[in-house]
């Protein structure tokens, strides 16, 4: 899977929805500035940041769990 940062596919709204739900489901607290902070982070960086928000999993599990929910990975249709 390639994240093209909006060049061909603007994926940020999808990633926000996926990560926001993941944080809520795993005991974290999404902050008002979370999405703007995540912009431009690598997978390792954003997974560590979600851990700091209270997600009770190690960053590598956060990355795998969040990424597996992305429509491009699960085979569901993107909007």
């Amino acid at each position: 899977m390639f994240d093209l940062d909006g060049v061909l596919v603007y994926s940020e709204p999808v990633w926000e929805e996926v990560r926001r739900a993941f944080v809520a489901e795993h005991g974290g607290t999404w902050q008002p500035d979370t999405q703007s902070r995540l912009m431009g982070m690598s997978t390792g960086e954003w997974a560590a940041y979600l851990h700091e928000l209270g997600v009770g999993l190690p960053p590598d599990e956060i990355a795998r769990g969040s990424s597996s929910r992305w429509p491009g990975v699960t085979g569901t249709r993107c909007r």
Side-chain angles (χ1 to χ4, degrees):
M1 176 179 75
F2 295 95
D3 180 357
L4 301 174
D5 291 329
V7 175
L8 297 176
V9 176
Y10 185 60
S11 62
E12 289 302 331
V14 177
W15 274 114
E16 179 179 3
E17 183 179 325
V18 167
R19 292 185 289 218
R20 184 184 288 263
F22 192 87
V23 168
E25 292 168 14
H26 291 87
T29 304
W30 192 268
Q31 301 297 321
D33 65 344
T34 296
Q35 181 59 20
S36 63
R37 288 176 171 258
L38 294 174
M39 299 290 285
M41 285 187 182
S42 69
T43 301
E45 291 169 334
W46 64 252
Y49 182 71
L50 297 187
H51 180 75
E52 291 175 19
L53 294 179
V55 174
L57 298 169
D60 62 326
E61 289 183 36
I62 293 171
R64 276 196 308 276
S66 296
S67 296
S68 70
R69 295 169 179 225
W70 200 81
V73 174
T74 63
T76 58
R77 294 177 51 121
C78 293
R79 290 178 230 129

